[in-house]
Amino acid sequence: MLALEPTALELMDDTVLRMLAAYEPGLVSAEREAIVLCEFDGNDSKVLAARARALKKISADVRIVPEKQYDRLWGLRRAVSPALERMPGKRRSTRVVEDAGFEPVRVSDYIRGVKKILRTHRIRAAIFGHLGSGNIHVNVFLDLGDPRDLETAQTLTFEVSELVRSLH
């Protein structure tokens, strides 16, 4: 996707999609593993059609939306942080490993590594962010009033920091 020179490339994982579906029913399907918003500047229909064909080679599940739907899609992305803050329960969205930045081509390595760490500790998280610039947000759900979760937060911070370091 980066080779197509998008002006924006944003990721929202399945946790984010389920949360957004609960936050605003009908806004997005919670049935997907993730979605990527890919935006291009310009209005040259031939250039845009060529980019659409190239995207469909990357993923068969590409949807091209008309300009009138842009605001709704970007509103969805902007709704992530407020929706995370409204999640019910003792375990709250916590930003102990919230931002990591590196070369965009390493994003998939980072996400796979983070998911492995999260599975090891049986911790849920919302993963979203700016694929095009290599800045990914990982908001873990912890109860920092619980000593076990506080210890897990410290362990996560160390392990994710080591992962980021290993990816340069």
Side-chain angles (χ1 to χ4, degrees):
M1 289 181 173
L2 290 172
L4 298 173
E5 300 179 349
T7 53
L9 200 55
E10 294 285 318
L11 166 74
M12 292 179 278
D13 79 346
D14 57 332
T15 300
V16 170
L17 296 175
R18 284 192 305 274
M19 178 217 33
L20 287 172
Y23 175 70
E24 190 173 333
L27 185 62
V28 67
S29 169
E31 306 285 320
R32 300 184 171 283
E33 187 175 335
I35 64 170
V36 174
L37 298 178
C38 182
E39 182 177 83
F40 299 101
D41 279 344
N43 58 5
D44 183 320
S45 61
K46 288 181 182 180
V47 171
L48 293 174
R51 287 177 170 160
R53 285 191 301 277
L55 285 172
K56 286 183 187 260
K57 288 180 183 177
I58 295 168
S59 172
D61 191 17
V62 171
R63 298 196 180 133
I64 310 300
V65 298
E67 190 173 348
K68 63 184 178 182
Q69 291 182 0
Y70 286 0
D71 288 342
R72 184 171 179 184
L73 285 173
W74 288 110
L76 170 72
R77 173 57 182 88
R78 286 188 296 274
V80 172
S81 290
L84 283 170
E85 296 303 320
R86 291 186 180 102
M87 297 267 309
K90 286 187 177 187
R91 285 191 160 172
R92 309 295 300 164
S93 173
T94 306
R95 294 178 178 95
V96 296
V97 292
E98 204 261 345
D99 274 331
F102 35 78
E103 291 292 322
V105 296
R106 302 307 302 264
V107 167
S108 59
D109 296 330
Y110 176 68
I111 291 172
R112 277 193 293 276
V114 164
K115 286 187 172 193
K116 182 179 178 183
I117 292 167
L118 294 169
R119 279 191 306 273
T120 298
H121 297 286
R122 295 184 176 97
I123 298 295
R124 286 182 44 235
I127 300 173
F128 59 104
H130 321 289
L131 292 178
S133 63
N135 177 240
I136 303 299
H137 308 296
V138 178
N139 288 29
V140 294
F141 298 102
L142 297 169
D143 176 0
L144 295 181
D146 180 331
R148 291 172 299 198
D149 276 8
L150 187 56
E151 186 175 319
T152 298
Q154 292 169 339
T155 302
L156 284 173
T157 300
F158 175 77
E159 291 178 9
V160 172
S161 295
E162 287 297 305
L163 172 64
V164 170
R165 187 185 58 73
S166 76
L167 296 172
H168 307 285

